[in-house]
Coordinates of all heavy atoms in Angstrom, one line a residue:
M1 N 73.7 -74.9 -96.0 CA 75.0 -74.9 -96.6 C 76.1 -74.4 -95.7 O 77.2 -74.9 -95.7 CB 75.0 -74.2 -97.9 CG 74.6 -75.0 -99.1 SD 75.0 -74.3 -100.7 CE 73.9 -72.9 -100.8
A2 N 75.8 -73.3 -95.0 CA 76.8 -72.8 -94.1 C 77.3 -73.8 -93.1 O 78.5 -73.8 -92.8 CB 76.3 -71.5 -93.4
N3 N 76.4 -74.6 -92.6 CA 76.8 -75.6 -91.6 C 77.7 -76.7 -92.3 O 78.7 -77.2 -91.6 CB 75.6 -76.3 -91.0 CG 74.9 -75.4 -90.0 OD1 75.5 -74.5 -89.4 ND2 73.6 -75.7 -89.8
Q4 N 77.5 -77.0 -93.5 CA 78.4 -77.9 -94.2 C 79.7 -77.3 -94.4 O 80.8 -78.0 -94.3 CB 77.8 -78.3 -95.6 CG 76.5 -79.1 -95.5 CD 75.8 -79.3 -96.8 OE1 76.0 -78.6 -97.7 NE2 75.0 -80.4 -96.9
I5 N 79.8 -76.0 -94.8 CA 81.1 -75.3 -94.9 C 81.8 -75.4 -93.6 O 83.0 -75.6 -93.5 CB 80.9 -73.9 -95.4 CG1 80.2 -73.9 -96.8 CG2 82.2 -73.1 -95.4 CD1 79.6 -72.6 -97.2
A6 N 81.1 -75.1 -92.5 CA 81.7 -75.1 -91.1 C 82.4 -76.4 -90.8 O 83.4 -76.4 -90.2 CB 80.6 -74.8 -90.1
R7 N 81.8 -77.5 -91.2 CA 82.4 -78.8 -91.0 C 83.8 -78.9 -91.6 O 84.7 -79.6 -91.1 CB 81.5 -79.9 -91.5 CG 80.3 -80.1 -90.5 CD 79.4 -81.3 -90.9 NE 78.1 -81.1 -90.3 CZ 77.0 -80.6 -90.8 NH1 77.0 -80.3 -92.1 NH2 75.9 -80.5 -90.1
N8 N 84.0 -78.3 -92.7 CA 85.3 -78.3 -93.4 C 86.3 -77.5 -92.7 O 87.5 -77.8 -92.9 CB 85.1 -77.8 -94.9 CG 84.3 -78.6 -95.8 OD1 84.4 -79.9 -95.7 ND2 83.4 -78.1 -96.6
F9 N 85.9 -76.6 -91.8 CA 86.9 -75.8 -91.1 C 86.9 -76.2 -89.6 O 87.4 -75.4 -88.8 CB 86.5 -74.3 -91.2 CG 86.7 -73.8 -92.6 CD1 85.6 -73.5 -93.4 CD2 87.9 -73.7 -93.2 CE1 85.7 -73.0 -94.7 CE2 88.1 -73.3 -94.5 CZ 87.0 -72.9 -95.3
A10 N 86.4 -77.4 -89.3 CA 86.3 -77.8 -87.9 C 87.6 -77.9 -87.2 O 87.6 -77.9 -85.9 CB 85.6 -79.2 -87.8
T11 N 88.7 -78.0 -87.9 CA 90.0 -78.2 -87.2 C 90.6 -76.8 -86.7 O 91.5 -76.8 -86.0 CB 91.0 -78.8 -88.1 OG1 91.2 -78.0 -89.3 CG2 90.7 -80.2 -88.5
L12 N 89.9 -75.7 -87.2 CA 90.4 -74.4 -86.9 C 89.7 -74.0 -85.5 O 88.7 -74.5 -85.2 CB 90.0 -73.4 -87.9 CG 90.6 -73.6 -89.3 CD1 90.0 -72.6 -90.3 CD2 92.1 -73.6 -89.3
D13 N 90.3 -73.0 -84.8 CA 89.6 -72.5 -83.7 C 88.4 -71.7 -84.1 O 88.3 -71.4 -85.3 CB 90.6 -71.6 -82.8 CG 91.1 -70.3 -83.5 OD1 90.2 -69.4 -83.7 OD2 92.2 -70.2 -83.9
D14 N 87.5 -71.3 -83.2 CA 86.2 -70.7 -83.6 C 86.4 -69.5 -84.4 O 85.7 -69.2 -85.3 CB 85.4 -70.5 -82.3 CG 84.8 -71.8 -81.8 OD1 84.9 -72.8 -82.5 OD2 84.3 -71.7 -80.6
A15 N 87.3 -68.6 -83.9 CA 87.4 -67.3 -84.6 C 88.0 -67.5 -86.1 O 87.5 -66.9 -87.0 CB 88.4 -66.3 -83.9
A16 N 89.0 -68.3 -86.2 CA 89.5 -68.6 -87.5 C 88.5 -69.3 -88.4 O 88.4 -69.0 -89.6 CB 90.8 -69.4 -87.4
A17 N 87.8 -70.2 -87.9 CA 86.7 -70.9 -88.6 C 85.7 -69.9 -89.1 O 85.2 -70.0 -90.3 CB 86.1 -72.0 -87.8
A18 N 85.2 -69.0 -88.2 CA 84.2 -68.1 -88.6 C 84.7 -67.2 -89.7 O 83.9 -66.9 -90.6 CB 83.8 -67.2 -87.4
N19 N 85.9 -66.7 -89.6 CA 86.5 -65.9 -90.7 C 86.6 -66.6 -92.0 O 86.3 -66.1 -93.1 CB 87.8 -65.3 -90.3 CG 87.6 -64.2 -89.2 OD1 86.7 -63.4 -89.3 ND2 88.5 -64.2 -88.3
A20 N 87.0 -67.9 -91.9 CA 87.2 -68.7 -93.1 C 85.8 -69.0 -93.8 O 85.6 -69.0 -95.0 CB 87.9 -70.0 -92.8
I21 N 84.8 -69.3 -93.0 CA 83.5 -69.5 -93.5 C 82.9 -68.3 -94.1 O 82.4 -68.3 -95.3 CB 82.5 -70.0 -92.4 CG1 83.0 -71.3 -91.8 CG2 81.0 -70.1 -92.8 CD1 82.4 -71.7 -90.4
A22 N 83.1 -67.1 -93.5 CA 82.6 -65.8 -94.0 C 83.3 -65.6 -95.4 O 82.7 -65.2 -96.3 CB 82.9 -64.7 -93.1
A23 N 84.6 -65.8 -95.4 CA 85.3 -65.6 -96.7 C 84.9 -66.5 -97.8 O 84.7 -66.1 -98.9 CB 86.9 -65.8 -96.4
H24 N 84.6 -67.8 -97.5 CA 84.0 -68.7 -98.4 C 82.7 -68.2 -99.0 O 82.4 -68.2 -100.2 CB 83.9 -70.1 -97.8 CG 83.3 -71.1 -98.7 ND1 84.0 -71.9 -99.5 CD2 82.0 -71.4 -99.0 CE1 83.2 -72.7 -100.2 NE2 82.0 -72.4 -99.9
I25 N 81.8 -67.8 -98.1 CA 80.5 -67.3 -98.5 C 80.6 -66.1 -99.4 O 79.9 -66.0 -100.4 CB 79.6 -67.0 -97.2 CG1 79.2 -68.3 -96.5 CG2 78.4 -66.2 -97.6 CD1 78.6 -68.1 -95.2
V26 N 81.5 -65.1 -99.0 CA 81.8 -63.9 -99.9 C 82.2 -64.4 -101.3 O 81.8 -63.8 -102.3 CB 82.7 -63.0 -99.2 CG1 83.2 -61.9 -100.2 CG2 82.1 -62.3 -98.0
K27 N 83.1 -65.3 -101.3 CA 83.7 -65.7 -102.6 C 82.8 -66.5 -103.5 O 82.8 -66.3 -104.7 CB 85.0 -66.6 -102.3 CG 85.8 -66.9 -103.5 CD 87.1 -67.5 -103.1 CE 88.0 -67.8 -104.4 NZ 89.3 -68.4 -104.0
Y28 N 82.0 -67.4 -102.9 CA 81.2 -68.3 -103.7 C 79.7 -68.2 -103.7 O 79.1 -68.7 -104.6 CB 81.5 -69.8 -103.3 CG 83.0 -70.1 -103.5 CD1 83.9 -70.3 -102.4 CD2 83.4 -70.4 -104.8 CE1 85.1 -70.6 -102.7 CE2 84.8 -70.7 -105.0 CZ 85.6 -70.8 -104.0 OH 86.9 -71.2 -104.2
W29 N 79.1 -67.5 -102.8 CA 77.7 -67.3 -102.7 C 77.2 -66.1 -103.5 O 77.9 -65.0 -103.5 CB 77.2 -67.2 -101.3 CG 77.3 -68.5 -100.5 CD1 78.1 -69.6 -100.7 CD2 76.4 -68.8 -99.4 NE1 77.8 -70.5 -99.8 CE2 76.8 -70.1 -98.9 CE3 75.4 -68.1 -98.8 CZ2 76.2 -70.7 -97.8 CZ3 74.8 -68.7 -97.6 CH2 75.3 -70.0 -97.2
D30 N 76.1 -66.2 -104.2 CA 75.5 -65.1 -104.8 C 75.1 -64.0 -103.8 O 74.7 -64.4 -102.7 CB 74.2 -65.6 -105.5 CG 73.5 -64.5 -106.3 OD1 72.7 -63.8 -105.6 OD2 73.7 -64.4 -107.5
P31 N 75.2 -62.8 -104.1 CA 74.9 -61.7 -103.1 C 73.5 -61.9 -102.5 O 73.3 -61.6 -101.3 CB 75.0 -60.4 -103.9 CG 76.0 -60.8 -105.0 CD 75.8 -62.2 -105.3
R32 N 72.6 -62.3 -103.3 CA 71.2 -62.5 -102.7 C 71.1 -63.6 -101.7 O 70.4 -63.4 -100.7 CB 70.2 -62.8 -103.9 CG 70.0 -61.7 -104.9 CD 69.3 -62.1 -106.1 NE 70.2 -63.1 -106.8 CZ 69.9 -63.6 -108.0 NH1 68.8 -63.3 -108.6 NH2 70.8 -64.4 -108.5
M33 N 71.9 -64.6 -101.8 CA 72.0 -65.6 -100.8 C 72.7 -65.1 -99.5 O 72.2 -65.4 -98.4 CB 72.9 -66.8 -101.3 CG 72.2 -67.6 -102.4 SD 73.3 -68.8 -103.1 CE 73.5 -70.0 -101.8
R34 N 73.6 -64.2 -99.7 CA 74.3 -63.6 -98.5 C 73.3 -62.8 -97.7 O 73.2 -62.8 -96.5 CB 75.5 -62.8 -98.9 CG 76.6 -63.7 -99.5 CD 77.9 -63.0 -99.6 NE 77.9 -61.8 -100.4 CZ 78.4 -61.7 -101.6 NH1 78.9 -62.7 -102.3 NH2 78.4 -60.5 -102.2
V35 N 72.5 -62.0 -98.5 CA 71.4 -61.1 -97.8 C 70.5 -62.0 -97.1 O 70.1 -61.7 -95.9 CB 70.8 -60.2 -98.8 CG1 69.5 -59.6 -98.3 CG2 71.7 -59.2 -99.4
K36 N 70.1 -63.1 -97.7 CA 69.1 -64.0 -97.1 C 69.6 -64.7 -95.8 O 68.9 -64.7 -94.8 CB 68.7 -65.1 -98.1 CG 67.5 -65.9 -97.6 CD 67.1 -66.9 -98.7 CE 65.9 -67.7 -98.2 NZ 65.4 -68.6 -99.2
I37 N 70.8 -65.1 -95.8 CA 71.4 -65.7 -94.6 C 71.6 -64.7 -93.5 O 71.3 -64.9 -92.3 CB 72.6 -66.6 -94.8 CG1 72.8 -67.5 -93.7 CG2 73.9 -65.7 -95.1 CD1 73.8 -68.6 -93.9
I38 N 72.0 -63.5 -93.8 CA 72.1 -62.4 -92.8 C 70.7 -62.1 -92.2 O 70.6 -61.9 -91.0 CB 72.8 -61.1 -93.4 CG1 74.2 -61.5 -93.7 CG2 72.6 -60.0 -92.5 CD1 74.9 -60.4 -94.6
D39 N 69.7 -62.0 -93.1 CA 68.4 -61.7 -92.6 C 67.9 -62.8 -91.7 O 67.2 -62.5 -90.7 CB 67.4 -61.5 -93.8 CG 67.6 -60.3 -94.6 OD1 68.3 -59.3 -94.0 OD2 67.0 -60.2 -95.7
S40 N 68.2 -64.1 -92.1 CA 67.7 -65.2 -91.2 C 68.4 -65.1 -89.8 O 67.8 -65.4 -88.8 CB 67.9 -66.5 -91.9 OG 69.3 -66.9 -91.9
L41 N 69.6 -64.7 -89.8 CA 70.3 -64.6 -88.5 C 69.7 -63.5 -87.7 O 69.5 -63.6 -86.5 CB 71.8 -64.3 -88.8 CG 72.7 -64.0 -87.5 CD1 72.8 -65.4 -86.8 CD2 74.0 -63.4 -87.9
E42 N 69.4 -62.3 -88.3 CA 68.9 -61.2 -87.6 C 67.5 -61.5 -87.1 O 67.0 -60.9 -86.1 CB 69.0 -59.9 -88.4 CG 70.4 -59.5 -88.6 CD 70.6 -58.4 -89.6 OE1 69.6 -57.9 -90.3 OE2 71.7 -57.9 -89.7
Q43 N 66.7 -62.3 -87.8 CA 65.4 -62.6 -87.4 C 65.3 -63.8 -86.5 O 64.3 -64.3 -86.1 CB 64.6 -63.0 -88.7 CG 64.5 -61.9 -89.7 CD 63.5 -60.9 -89.5 OE1 62.5 -61.2 -88.9 NE2 63.7 -59.7 -90.0
N44 N 66.5 -64.4 -86.1 CA 66.7 -65.6 -85.3 C 65.9 -66.8 -85.8 O 65.3 -67.6 -85.1 CB 66.2 -65.3 -83.8 CG 67.1 -64.5 -83.1 OD1 68.4 -64.6 -83.3 ND2 66.6 -63.6 -82.2
E45 N 65.9 -66.9 -87.2 CA 65.2 -67.9 -87.9 C 66.1 -69.0 -88.3 O 65.7 -70.0 -89.0 CB 64.4 -67.4 -89.0 CG 63.3 -66.4 -88.7 CD 62.6 -65.8 -89.9 OE1 63.1 -66.0 -91.0 OE2 61.7 -65.0 -89.7
S46 N 67.4 -68.9 -88.1 CA 68.3 -69.8 -88.7 C 68.6 -71.0 -87.8 O 68.3 -70.9 -86.6 CB 69.7 -69.1 -89.0 OG 70.2 -68.7 -87.8
K47 N 69.0 -72.1 -88.4 CA 69.3 -73.3 -87.7 C 70.8 -73.5 -87.8 O 71.3 -74.6 -88.0 CB 68.5 -74.5 -88.2 CG 67.1 -74.3 -88.0 CD 66.2 -75.4 -88.6 CE 64.8 -75.2 -88.3 NZ 63.9 -76.1 -89.0
L48 N 71.6 -72.4 -87.6 CA 73.0 -72.5 -87.9 C 73.7 -73.0 -86.6 O 73.3 -72.7 -85.5 CB 73.5 -71.1 -88.2 CG 73.0 -70.5 -89.5 CD1 73.5 -69.1 -89.6 CD2 73.5 -71.3 -90.7
L49 N 74.8 -73.7 -86.8 CA 75.7 -74.1 -85.7 C 76.3 -72.8 -85.2 O 76.4 -71.8 -85.9 CB 76.8 -75.0 -86.3 CG 76.5 -76.3 -86.9 CD1 77.7 -76.9 -87.6 CD2 75.9 -77.2 -85.8
P50 N 76.7 -72.8 -83.9 CA 77.3 -71.6 -83.4 C 78.4 -71.0 -84.2 O 78.4 -69.8 -84.4 CB 77.8 -72.1 -82.0 CG 76.9 -73.2 -81.6 CD 76.6 -73.9 -82.9
V51 N 79.3 -71.8 -84.7 CA 80.4 -71.2 -85.5 C 79.9 -70.6 -86.8 O 80.4 -69.6 -87.3 CB 81.5 -72.3 -85.8 CG1 81.0 -73.4 -86.7 CG2 82.8 -71.6 -86.3
S52 N 78.9 -71.2 -87.4 CA 78.2 -70.6 -88.6 C 77.5 -69.3 -88.3 O 77.6 -68.4 -89.0 CB 77.2 -71.6 -89.2 OG 77.8 -72.8 -89.5
R53 N 76.9 -69.2 -87.1 CA 76.2 -68.0 -86.7 C 77.3 -66.9 -86.5 O 77.1 -65.7 -87.0 CB 75.5 -68.1 -85.3 CG 74.3 -69.1 -85.4 CD 73.6 -69.2 -84.1 NE 72.9 -67.9 -83.7 CZ 71.8 -67.4 -84.2 NH1 71.2 -68.1 -85.1 NH2 71.3 -66.3 -83.8
N54 N 78.4 -67.2 -85.9 CA 79.5 -66.3 -85.8 C 80.0 -65.8 -87.2 O 80.3 -64.7 -87.4 CB 80.7 -66.9 -85.0 CG 80.3 -67.1 -83.6 OD1 79.4 -66.5 -83.1 ND2 81.1 -67.9 -82.9
A55 N 80.1 -66.8 -88.1 CA 80.6 -66.5 -89.5 C 79.6 -65.5 -90.2 O 80.0 -64.5 -90.8 CB 80.7 -67.7 -90.3
V56 N 78.3 -65.7 -90.0 CA 77.3 -64.8 -90.6 C 77.4 -63.4 -89.9 O 77.2 -62.4 -90.6 CB 75.9 -65.5 -90.6 CG1 74.9 -64.5 -91.0 CG2 75.9 -66.7 -91.3
A57 N 77.7 -63.4 -88.6 CA 77.8 -62.1 -88.0 C 79.1 -61.4 -88.6 O 79.0 -60.2 -88.8 CB 78.0 -62.3 -86.5
V58 N 80.1 -62.1 -88.8 CA 81.3 -61.5 -89.4 C 81.0 -61.0 -90.8 O 81.3 -59.9 -91.2 CB 82.5 -62.6 -89.5 CG1 83.6 -62.1 -90.4 CG2 83.0 -62.9 -88.1
L59 N 80.3 -61.8 -91.5 CA 79.8 -61.5 -92.9 C 79.0 -60.2 -92.8 O 79.2 -59.2 -93.6 CB 79.0 -62.6 -93.5 CG 78.4 -62.4 -94.9 CD1 79.5 -62.4 -95.9 CD2 77.4 -63.5 -95.2
R60 N 78.0 -60.1 -91.9 CA 77.2 -59.0 -91.8 C 78.0 -57.7 -91.4 O 77.8 -56.7 -92.0 CB 76.2 -59.2 -90.7 CG 75.3 -58.0 -90.4 CD 74.5 -58.2 -89.0 NE 75.5 -58.3 -88.0 CZ 75.3 -59.0 -86.9 NH1 74.2 -59.7 -86.7 NH2 76.2 -59.1 -85.9
D61 N 78.9 -57.9 -90.5 CA 79.7 -56.7 -90.0 C 80.8 -56.3 -91.0 O 81.1 -55.1 -90.9 CB 80.3 -57.1 -88.7 CG 79.3 -57.4 -87.6 OD1 78.1 -57.0 -87.8 OD2 79.6 -58.0 -86.6
T62 N 81.3 -57.1 -91.8 CA 82.5 -56.7 -92.7 C 82.2 -56.7 -94.1 O 82.9 -56.1 -94.9 CB 83.6 -57.7 -92.4 OG1 83.2 -59.0 -92.8 CG2 84.1 -57.6 -91.0
H63 N 81.1 -57.3 -94.6 CA 80.8 -57.4 -96.0 C 79.4 -56.9 -96.4 O 78.9 -57.3 -97.5 CB 81.0 -58.8 -96.5 CG 82.5 -59.3 -96.4 ND1 83.4 -58.9 -97.2 CD2 83.0 -60.1 -95.5 CE1 84.6 -59.4 -96.9 NE2 84.3 -60.2 -95.8
Q64 N 78.8 -56.3 -95.5 CA 77.4 -55.8 -95.7 C 77.3 -55.0 -97.1 O 76.3 -55.1 -97.8 CB 76.8 -55.0 -94.6 CG 75.4 -54.7 -94.7 CD 74.5 -55.9 -94.4 OE1 74.8 -56.7 -93.5 NE2 73.4 -56.0 -95.0
S65 N 78.3 -54.2 -97.3 CA 78.3 -53.4 -98.5 C 78.4 -54.2 -99.8 O 78.2 -53.6 -100.9 CB 79.3 -52.3 -98.4 OG 80.6 -52.9 -98.4
D66 N 78.8 -55.5 -99.7 CA 78.9 -56.3 -100.9 C 77.6 -56.8 -101.4 O 77.5 -57.3 -102.6 CB 79.8 -57.5 -100.6 CG 81.2 -57.2 -100.2 OD1 81.6 -56.1 -100.5 OD2 81.9 -58.1 -99.7
A67 N 76.5 -56.6 -100.7 CA 75.2 -57.1 -101.1 C 74.6 -56.2 -102.1 O 75.0 -55.0 -102.2 CB 74.3 -57.2 -99.8
P68 N 73.7 -56.7 -102.9 CA 73.0 -55.8 -103.9 C 72.2 -54.7 -103.3 O 71.7 -54.8 -102.2 CB 72.1 -56.8 -104.7 CG 71.9 -58.0 -103.8 CD 73.1 -58.0 -102.8

């Protein structure tokens, strides 16, 4: 899903797109889903586009305390 969201922000530069994707994930995803995608990034198990990986890193770094 994160890659699909990334496609919607493709007109933005990479930093703006990563922030927009992270904000979307915070707003609409269940906290358990956020934990799962952060875990997959940290385990190098994800098949995320580079901009999506950057978004998850932003999510991890700025919204970690939002998780259950």
Side-chain angles (χ1 to χ4, degrees):
M1 273 195 289
N3 287 336
Q4 292 173 336
I5 297 165
R7 288 184 194 99
N8 292 319
F9 296 110
T11 59
L12 300 176
D13 65 70
D14 286 346
N19 287 321
I21 296 162
H24 178 92
I25 290 171
V26 167
K27 187 172 183 178
Y28 295 108
W29 287 27
D30 182 274
R32 293 168 293 186
M33 292 172 66
R34 295 194 303 257
V35 168
K36 187 172 181 179
I37 198 166
I38 290 169
D39 287 346
S40 73
L41 177 70
E42 292 174 352
Q43 305 275 333
N44 288 325
E45 296 174 355
S46 64
K47 295 179 182 167
L48 296 173
L49 298 171
V51 70
S52 299
R53 293 181 67 78
N54 292 341
V56 175
V58 168
L59 180 68
R60 177 195 61 212
D61 297 342
T62 60
H63 298 282
Q64 188 74 35
S65 62
D66 296 345

